[in-house]
Amino acid sequence: MNSLTEENYLKALFNLSQENGEVSVNELSKHLQIKMPTVTSMMKKLSDKKLVNYESYKPLKLTEKGRREAGLVIRKHRLTEMFLVDKMGFGWEQVHEIAEQIEHIHSPEFFEKMDELLGYPKFDPHGSPIPDKTGKVEWIHYSKLSDCKAGDAVKLSAVTHSSDEFLKFLNTRELKLGTKIRIKSIEAFDGSMTISYGKHLSEHVSCLVCERLLVEKE
Amino acid sequence: MNSLTEENYLKALFNLSQENGEVSVNELSKHLQIKMPTVTSMMKKLSDKKLVNYESYKPLKLTEKGRREAGLVIRKHRLTEMFLVDKMGFGWEQVHEIAEQIEHIHSPEFFEKMDELLGYPKFDPHGSPIPDKTGKVEWIHYSKLSDCKAGDAVKLSAVTHSSDEFLKFLNTRELKLGTKIRIKSIEAFDGSMTISYGKHLSEHVSCLVCERLLVEKE
DNA sequence: TTAAATAATTAGATAAGACTAACAAATATA
DNA sequence: TATATTTGTTAGTCTTATCTAATTATTTAA
């Protein structure tokens, strides 16, 4: 059984290693807001538990076991977010903080019941895939809106950040998952875009926003 | 902000001091399964935080502030139990363990939403009153079934123990809250009773069980 | 290719919350 | 009332998870 703290390290490693599978101590330290020596010592501990491959001065990698256990925590997080939105009436911008706590509840029955009541959902309210009961996650490769070209027609399928402020911003612009977007133009010097969707015929969005929106080409 | 550990001590003090308002270190130690020296030092800490009136070798008493904060934890526990039973379809014997964990979630909105979805319930699935938003609880004085006389007709209104095994036992006997019970006879030597209710015309229940059933006289 | 900057580790300290062993106070019993 | 038992406290240790300061590797830049 992993402690709440260990679960948080595993989850962070899982999320950070999505790209290349490797994470530096420094990255992990910054992401968790925990000083590097503390991270180093936890990596040794998780290495003893066969959850992380750790060698001095080498990048960190989750083992298969570590990936599985991290996946199970993330499964609980995402199921919870879905439950809060679908069954309790929260907005997608409100659920991250609550799920961050509920993901550590130890009760298979509780999450089993959520899953059942939700009808076994495959994605959470931010478009992230929900790992299966073994902790495995189907990795879907969406494009960033920022990587699209002027003229492209795409569908908003997920967001990469779940902070309250960012999602509230999307709410004010009426940008939600499923929204069909057309890229009217891209500013060459800062990567910001002018897009149209629904009733919004001409909205300007910054590069930062574009990088956080994941889309599927139509 | 109290730690999870502190919350558990407060809650235990609250529950144990229902009778006379005072609890001994020994009692608290046994109830929490934590050795006495640990309890003593935590009492000093809670005393510094003005949550407990602590003096060496004197019985423990929650302060007004302590009672309020304990009440708020118990409110979260009982709202959760109600939610699990009413909105998620758990049995009353399954919810204690889960609520024991969820009661420590820090999110007023989460419990506010539960309360709203449940229609502001006054009692949990075991008949215990749910403290209000200030942590205050309406103390209702039911009788123990074991204190009733032969011939009494009563209604089962609450149970004093929420363990899985005990509640499963009540399930098998189809004893639920609201059940009208008539006491047919009482064994003088062990206090066990023969009772009738619903389709059960003659059930024998031990003294231990009678002490855990709270009833209202009709 | 050496010096500077960055990243990582080691060593040692601290706080929370648990423990045991030993002692002291209060209560119960002979 | 004197003694035995039970209850409570003190002192000191352990573990987990954090920190800072100092040191060592590695990487980057001159």
Side-chain angles (χ1 to χ4, degrees):
Chain A
M1 181 75 81
N2 304 313
S3 69
L4 183 149
T5 309
E6 290 166 339
E7 287 190 345
N8 281 334
Y9 279 90
L10 289 174
K11 193 175 51 134
L13 278 168
F14 189 100
N15 285 326
L16 289 173
S17 64
Q18 227 60 105
E19 287 99 43
N20 50 6
E22 295 187 343
V23 185
S24 71
V25 172
N26 194 243
E27 257 183 291
L28 186 53
S29 162
K30 278 175 183 149
H31 186 260
L32 289 170
Q33 306 252 63
I34 285 172
K35 296 288 183 289
M36 287 207 291
T38 311
V39 172
T40 298
S41 72
M42 181 56 89
M43 288 308 106
K44 287 177 179 169
K45 190 174 171 200
L46 294 180
S47 176
D48 290 346
K49 295 177 85 169
K50 309 283 181 215
L51 294 166
V52 169
N53 282 321
Y54 172 75
E55 286 177 88
S56 284
Y57 298 103
K58 295 262 170 67
L60 307 168
K61 271 190 93 161
L62 284 172
T63 62
E64 185 51 41
K65 186 181 173 206
R67 204 161 24 249
R68 214 165 47 228
E69 302 199 5
L72 289 173
V73 177
I74 287 167
R75 173 177 165 81
K76 292 194 282 179
H77 182 101
R78 293 183 181 165
L79 273 177
T80 300
E81 291 196 334
M82 203 62 188
F83 188 86
L84 292 170
V85 169
D86 264 33
K87 300 296 170 190
M88 294 187 74
F90 284 98
W92 70 341
E93 78 286 0
Q94 302 177 285
V95 297
H96 182 76
E97 290 304 311
I98 304 176
E100 206 69 7
Q101 299 178 65
I102 295 194
E103 70 190 6
H104 301 293
I105 300 290
H106 292 295
S107 170
E109 306 78 29
F110 181 56
F111 294 100
E112 190 54 51
K113 189 71 91 175
M114 268 192 190
D115 198 20
E116 182 192 323
L117 291 169
L118 288 167
Y120 312 102
K122 288 269 179 294
F123 298 92
D124 80 6
H126 309 109
S128 302
I130 298 176
D132 68 22
K133 283 179 201 167
T134 73
K136 229 170 265 158
V137 60
E138 196 75 35
W139 200 240
I140 291 158
H141 215 67
Y142 297 127
S143 316
K144 289 183 192 166
L145 181 60
S146 54
D147 291 340
C148 296
K149 304 182 305 295
D152 282 359
V154 299
K155 186 177 74 175
L156 181 56
S157 297
V159 297
T160 58
H161 288 69
S162 303
S163 75
D164 184 79
E165 311 86 54
F166 177 57
L167 298 174
K168 268 185 181 156
F169 165 81
L170 297 183
N171 286 346
T172 64
R173 301 297 169 97
E174 295 188 286
L175 273 167
K176 22 183 184 284
L177 297 193
T179 300
K180 309 277 170 103
I181 298 173
R182 205 177 58 76
I183 302 172
K184 295 175 69 178
S185 66
I186 307 175
E187 281 297 339
F189 75 97
D190 71 351
S192 68
M193 290 180 170
T194 304
I195 60 179
S196 76
Y197 56 93
K199 294 175 213 140
H200 301 253
L201 303 180
S202 181
E203 285 278 0
H204 194 81
V205 286
S206 73
C207 175
L208 194 77
V209 171
C210 297
E211 280 173 355
R212 293 177 173 196
L213 299 180
L214 297 180
V215 299
E216 286 173 277
K217 305 215 167 142
E218 293 283 87
Chain B
M1 181 76 81
N2 303 314
S3 69
L4 182 150
T5 310
E6 288 166 340
E7 286 189 346
N8 281 334
Y9 278 90
L10 290 173
K11 194 175 50 134
L13 278 168
F14 190 100
N15 285 326
L16 289 173
S17 64
Q18 226 61 103
E19 286 99 45
N20 50 5
E22 295 186 345
V23 184
S24 71
V25 173
N26 194 243
E27 256 183 291
L28 187 52
S29 161
K30 278 176 182 147
H31 185 261
L32 289 171
Q33 307 253 63
I34 284 172
K35 295 289 182 292
M36 286 207 290
T38 311
V39 172
T40 298
S41 72
M42 180 56 89
M43 289 308 107
K44 287 177 179 169
K45 189 176 171 198
L46 294 179
S47 177
D48 290 345
K49 295 178 84 169
K50 309 284 181 216
L51 295 165
V52 169
N53 282 322
Y54 172 76
E55 285 177 90
S56 284
Y57 298 103
K58 297 263 170 65
L60 307 168
K61 271 189 92 160
L62 283 172
T63 62
E64 185 50 41
K65 187 182 172 206
R67 202 159 28 248
R68 215 164 48 228
E69 302 199 4
L72 289 174
V73 177
I74 287 166
R75 171 177 167 79
K76 293 193 283 179
H77 182 102
R78 294 183 179 165
L79 273 178
T80 300
E81 291 195 333
M82 203 60 188
F83 188 86
L84 292 170
V85 169
D86 265 32
K87 300 297 171 188
M88 295 187 73
F90 284 99
W92 70 341
E93 78 285 1
Q94 301 177 285
V95 298
H96 182 75
E97 291 303 311
I98 304 176
E100 205 70 5
Q101 299 178 64
I102 295 194
E103 70 191 5
H104 301 293
I105 299 290
H106 292 295
S107 170
E109 305 78 27
F110 180 58
F111 295 100
E112 189 53 52
K113 189 72 88 176
M114 268 190 190
D115 199 19
E116 183 193 323
L117 291 170
L118 289 167
Y120 311 102
K122 290 267 178 294
F123 299 93
D124 80 6
H126 311 109
S128 302
I130 297 175
D132 68 22
K133 284 180 202 170
T134 73
K136 230 170 263 156
V137 61
E138 196 75 35
W139 201 239
I140 291 157
H141 215 69
Y142 296 126
S143 314
K144 288 182 193 167
L145 180 60
S146 54
D147 292 339
C148 297
K149 305 182 305 294
D152 283 358
V154 299
K155 186 178 73 174
L156 179 56
S157 296
V159 296
T160 58
H161 287 68
S162 303
S163 74
D164 184 79
E165 311 85 57
F166 178 56
L167 297 174
K168 269 186 182 154
F169 165 81
L170 298 183
N171 286 346
T172 65
R173 302 296 170 98
E174 295 187 287
L175 272 167
K176 23 181 181 285
L177 297 193
T179 299
K180 310 278 170 103
I181 298 173
R182 207 177 56 77
I183 301 172
K184 295 175 70 177
S185 66
I186 306 176
E187 282 297 339
F189 75 97
D190 71 351
S192 67
M193 291 180 169
T194 303
I195 61 179
S196 75
Y197 55 92
K199 295 175 214 142
H200 301 253
L201 302 180
S202 182
E203 286 278 359
H204 193 80
V205 285
S206 72
C207 175
L208 194 77
V209 170
C210 296
E211 279 173 356
R212 293 176 173 197
L213 298 181
L214 297 180
V215 300
E216 287 173 276
K217 306 213 166 143
E218 294 283 88

